[in-house]
Amino acid sequence: MSLDKEKIKHVAKLARISVDEAKVDSLTKDLNSIFKFIEQLNELKTEKVEPLTSILNQSLRSRKDEISDGKIREKILKNSPKENKEFFVVPKVVE
Amino acid sequence: MTDITNQSLNEIIKKVKTKKISSTDLTKAYIKNIESAKKLNAFVTTTFDQALDKAKQFDNKPNFDQLLPGIPLAVKDLFCTENIKTTAGSNILNNFIPSYESTVTKNLWNNGSFLLGKLNCDEFAMGSSNETSHYGNVINPVGDQLVPGGSSGGSSSALAADLTPATIGTDTGGSIRQPASFTGTVGLKPTYGLCSRWGIVAFASSLDQAGPMTKTIKDCAIMLESMSGFDEKDSTSINKKKEQYSKNLKDNIKGLKIGIPKEYRVDNMPKEIDELWEKGKKILKNLGAKLIDISLPHTKYALPTYYIVAPAEASSNLARYDGVRYGYRSKQGKDLIEMYEKTRSEGFGDEVKRRILIGTYVLSSGYYDAYYLKAQKVRQLIKKDFDDSFTKIDAILTPSTPSSAFKIGEKTNDPVSMYLNDIFTVPVNLAGIPALSLPAGVDKQGYPLGLQLIGKALDEQKILNIGHAIEKNCGFKNEIKKWWA
């Protein structure tokens, strides 16, 4: 299948990436050549194959549900582009 | 006086232990090299003052029983380092200062080493030439127009140019082994789960593994021993006894069965790669190993599978970069959604955006079965190819890459031709097994070429031993002229 510009704009919307109108053409070309390459997989019959879900021969561990840290608000907010000492600050969401 | 910085890590450790050189003088020697190698652009951040403080602390109260006593090390800028900027080669993390240390780097520091600086890499480790970094191209010390490989290109360049005695990288589809091959150095991708992923900027979580990059196999064993180990903070970390890879390193490989997969002979492969492979086979045979022809029939589907699985995981992992909690935030955008869109558009480079879009698409409603599920099924087949082979053999020998280092700009216009660089390295990541690349010869231009040894899960010691045997017998010597200094 081939991806058209409208589809790419839709996917970009889903990924929350604004795409420069001037770059849509080259992006369409690149993505189509990548998908053409990927679609080699269609040569393989895989109806009877189980999908791989883990490459480890072990199941995921669970740990005790205990609090191991906390009271690090300052550390967490330190790297935020905008905060008010208590919370992250974002553009207004509700009127 | 001989130059300490062109020696192996193992030699340097011996000199520190026998007090032939202090940690401070060693650190100063590397700082001098780094300052005269700005042209290579291998470093994003240097931490000289801190390194000199640590060296002084070591010299005042040395502990020579550690694996890395008083050794300064630069690491790929994908490892979070406490209070030291960590960029992952991206603009979106240009101001990110972690408040915690990655487990792998913490293990290195606990063994007596300390940080010299952070090394350039492809943005979020997505690239094979270090040309996607926001912080500029890295130059291969082998030649001033050559890429150092990627994504761990700053690591391979710095190591080959004597700017660090050893280093670490990460390998999602070949990002340690391919740059090692391009610079005439050794690189190992361990078994998935051997080194903790905690505190490493995530790319594709089911494939990412940290590993050592060094000048010799012995050094590789020392570094792997220092950085690996169980970590409760990584849910996929393997809980097993620690191995003493360096102590147990030997070069007797008599009787070992080495698989030679016919699918690794690809169209248009330069003659020299084939000759290198033959040379490797001959060395192993002469040392008493048995060569066995094997087939890994799904090899050609590994790259297409990878370009579904890796972008899918990346699109999910990179959703966290939204300009709210850390990293870059765009000044534009009237509302929250627009702020996200502008932040991600301005913060990510073209290759990263391409992969996020591929990943978003293959996971989107209506396409999941056709792409992602299909890829997970093929991944099963690729893993089974290896599982079946390893019932008959001890290790697999292949070339590391289909070419030697290429020129800057040569492949940037065609993403698929760039991806094809990883054709021999990607299958191993999909199967979660270990592989190392070691330099074994040069092409007609004098550029280094690597051989790859693939082992079964947790068989690092065996591939290190085989690598050690090839290293001793292949006559490769990295003769890089310091044209940049």
Side-chain angles (χ1 to χ4, degrees):
Chain A
M1 71 156 293
S2 69
L3 284 159
D4 58 30
K5 286 188 219 172
E6 286 316 303
K7 185 93 213 168
I8 286 171
K9 284 186 196 163
H10 173 67
V11 174
K13 192 88 199 158
L14 292 176
R16 298 278 185 261
I17 293 177
S18 73
V19 179
D20 194 349
E21 199 58 45
K23 280 189 170 177
V24 177
D25 278 332
S26 68
L27 190 60
T28 308
K29 184 179 141 276
D30 286 343
L31 291 183
N32 275 304
S33 83
I34 295 166
F35 272 94
K36 193 172 156 238
F37 178 69
I38 287 173
E39 284 167 4
Q40 286 181 71
L41 294 189
N42 295 336
E43 297 167 15
L44 284 172
K45 283 203 167 50
T46 51
E47 289 78 18
K48 288 183 181 147
V49 183
E50 280 295 307
L52 184 140
T53 50
S54 168
I55 43 171
L56 288 170
N57 295 321
Q58 65 179 39
S59 49
L60 289 178
R61 293 183 311 276
S62 55
R63 56 166 173 77
K64 278 194 188 138
D65 189 15
E66 286 170 346
I67 295 166
S68 58
D69 62 3
K71 300 198 169 69
I72 51 168
R73 185 196 298 249
E74 232 173 82
K75 271 190 175 183
I76 289 171
L77 290 174
K78 192 188 74 172
N79 274 297
S80 176
K82 203 170 179 193
E83 40 86 23
N84 66 3
K85 304 279 177 222
E86 283 188 274
F87 299 104
F88 300 114
V89 175
V90 297
K92 200 168 185 179
V93 183
V94 282
E95 288 302 323
Chain B
M1 203 185 104
T2 53
D3 179 9
I4 183 93
T5 61
N6 67 17
Q7 299 179 29
S8 71
L9 173 68
N10 186 44
E11 288 298 323
I12 293 169
I13 291 170
K14 273 189 207 158
K15 293 213 160 103
V16 172
K17 281 188 175 178
T18 52
K19 299 192 182 170
K20 292 222 170 67
I21 190 163
S22 67
S23 176
T24 302
D25 286 343
L26 180 66
T27 305
K28 281 181 181 165
Y30 281 106
I31 292 173
K32 193 170 154 244
N33 285 5
I34 295 165
E35 283 182 329
S36 68
K38 295 211 168 97
K39 273 184 206 155
L40 300 178
N41 197 30
F43 282 76
V44 175
T45 305
T46 53
T47 55
F48 296 156
D49 290 344
Q50 189 197 309
L52 287 167
D53 278 349
K54 296 270 183 189
K56 201 170 149 195
Q57 279 174 33
F58 178 86
D59 289 332
N60 288 337
K61 223 178 149 189
N63 175 357
F64 296 116
D65 297 330
Q66 302 173 99
L67 275 166
L68 300 167
I71 304 293
L73 291 176
V75 304
K76 186 178 187 178
D77 205 14
L78 208 69
F79 295 90
C80 285
T81 41
E82 192 173 358
N83 297 326
I84 306 289
K85 189 171 80 168
T86 299
T87 69
S90 182
N91 186 28
I92 215 159
L93 285 175
N94 68 26
N95 55 3
F96 175 58
I97 299 175
S99 56
Y100 55 92
E101 187 78 29
S102 84
T103 298
V104 159
T105 47
K106 195 182 265 179
N107 289 346
L108 294 178
W109 315 147
N110 286 343
N111 279 303
S113 66
F114 48 83
L115 184 70
L116 197 48
K118 305 292 294 287
L119 297 166
N120 207 336
C121 58
D122 277 304
E123 186 179 6
F124 287 101
M126 298 178 193
S128 305
S129 61
N130 218 116
E131 292 171 288
T132 74
S133 170
H134 176 68
Y135 305 93
N137 297 342
V138 175
I139 312 295
N140 188 336
V142 170
D144 66 353
Q145 299 293 316
L146 297 178
V147 302
S151 67
S152 310
S155 299
S156 66
S157 175
L159 176 66
D162 300 334
L163 312 183
T164 181
T167 184
I168 54 173
T170 59
D171 190 316
T172 305
S175 285
I176 286 175
R177 289 160 287 155
Q178 185 254 18
S181 180
F182 279 12
T183 53
T185 56
V186 175
L188 172 77
K189 184 210 90 79
T191 305
Y192 183 80
L194 191 69
C195 294
S196 170
R197 288 183 295 108
W198 197 80
I200 301 175
V201 176
F203 163 13
S205 303
S206 80
L207 303 160
D208 295 345
Q209 230 340 254
M213 299 172 76
T214 57
K215 290 180 180 167
T216 68
I217 295 283
K218 176 87 178 175
D219 291 359
C220 188
I222 297 170
M223 287 294 285
L224 182 63
E225 205 172 314
S226 308
M227 68 193 286
S228 59
F230 174 65
D231 180 15
E232 210 166 43
K233 295 205 277 286
D234 173 358
S235 61
T236 57
S237 175
I238 298 172
N239 194 353
K240 66 183 271 288
K241 200 176 119 259
K242 268 199 82 110
E243 305 272 347
Q244 293 184 298
Y245 300 107
S246 55
K247 201 178 134 198
N248 295 330
L249 192 66
K250 54 177 192 186
D251 55 13
N252 181 359
I253 56 162
K254 213 172 164 181
L256 286 185
K257 292 185 218 113
I258 311 293
I260 308 294
K262 64 169 191 268
E263 290 79 6
Y264 281 63
R265 179 164 286 117
V266 295
D267 294 344
N268 305 323
M269 192 158 84
K271 199 171 90 237
E272 291 133 314
I273 304 280
D274 219 21
E275 285 165 4
L276 180 86
W277 200 6
E278 288 305 319
K279 179 180 166 185
K281 290 181 213 171
K282 206 168 155 192
I283 291 171
L284 294 177
K285 212 172 161 184
N286 288 343
L287 293 170
K290 279 196 201 87
L291 302 182
I292 296 177
D293 287 326
I294 59 165
S295 175
L296 301 164
H298 297 92
T299 299
K300 81 172 240 204
Y301 300 106
L303 261 185
T305 302
Y306 178 84
Y307 276 97
I308 294 173
V309 174
E313 294 184 17
S315 74
S316 165
N317 271 328
L318 272 59
R320 72 189 72 177
Y321 303 103
D322 56 6
V324 174
R325 288 152 301 156
Y326 43 79
Y328 172 81
R329 180 189 290 193
S330 172
K331 302 264 182 299
Q332 300 181 62
K334 330 181 267 300
D335 55 23
L336 186 63
I337 301 287
E338 241 189 71
M339 188 278 279
Y340 289 151
E341 289 178 345
K342 295 284 180 201
T343 293
R344 289 164 64 78
S345 180
E346 293 162 20
F348 292 134
D350 286 345
E351 180 60 23
V352 172
K353 282 187 229 177
R354 266 199 292 270
R355 297 208 198 180
I356 292 174
L357 295 180
I358 297 168
T360 305
Y361 180 66
V362 300
L363 291 175
S364 65
S365 171
Y367 298 96
Y368 179 89
D369 285 4
Y371 292 107
Y372 190 70
L373 192 69
K374 178 89 186 180
Q376 292 291 56
K377 287 179 168 192
V378 181
R379 190 174 178 186
Q380 184 82 274
L381 296 173
I382 291 164
K383 182 176 183 292
K384 192 172 173 299
D385 283 354
F386 282 112
D387 288 347
D388 290 349
S389 288
F390 279 120
T391 60
K392 301 176 291 225
I393 53 168
D394 293 291
I396 296 170
L397 178 77
T398 76
S400 302
T401 55
S403 77
S404 62
F406 48 88
K407 289 202 163 56
I408 292 167
E410 196 178 314
K411 294 180 196 272
T412 38
N413 290 326
D414 179 1
V416 173
S417 87
M418 186 68 91
Y419 297 170
L420 286 168
N421 255 290
D422 296 333
I423 192 159
F424 298 149
T425 48
V426 149
V428 158
N429 298 77
L430 291 168
I433 53 182
L436 71 78
S437 173
L438 82 156
V442 292
D443 69 2
K444 59 175 180 293
Q445 305 165 95
Y447 302 164
L449 298 170
L451 283 173
Q452 177 175 238
L453 286 161
I454 305 172
K456 61 170 183 275
L458 299 175
D459 231 0
E460 277 79 2
Q461 186 74 59
K462 200 178 276 168
I463 56 172
L464 284 166
N465 291 350
I466 302 168
H468 198 39
I470 296 179
E471 181 182 57
K472 280 191 171 174
N473 290 281
C474 72
F476 175 84
K477 200 169 179 302
N478 212 352
E479 280 163 11
I480 291 174
K481 292 190 186 72
K482 299 198 172 170
W483 51 266
W484 58 86

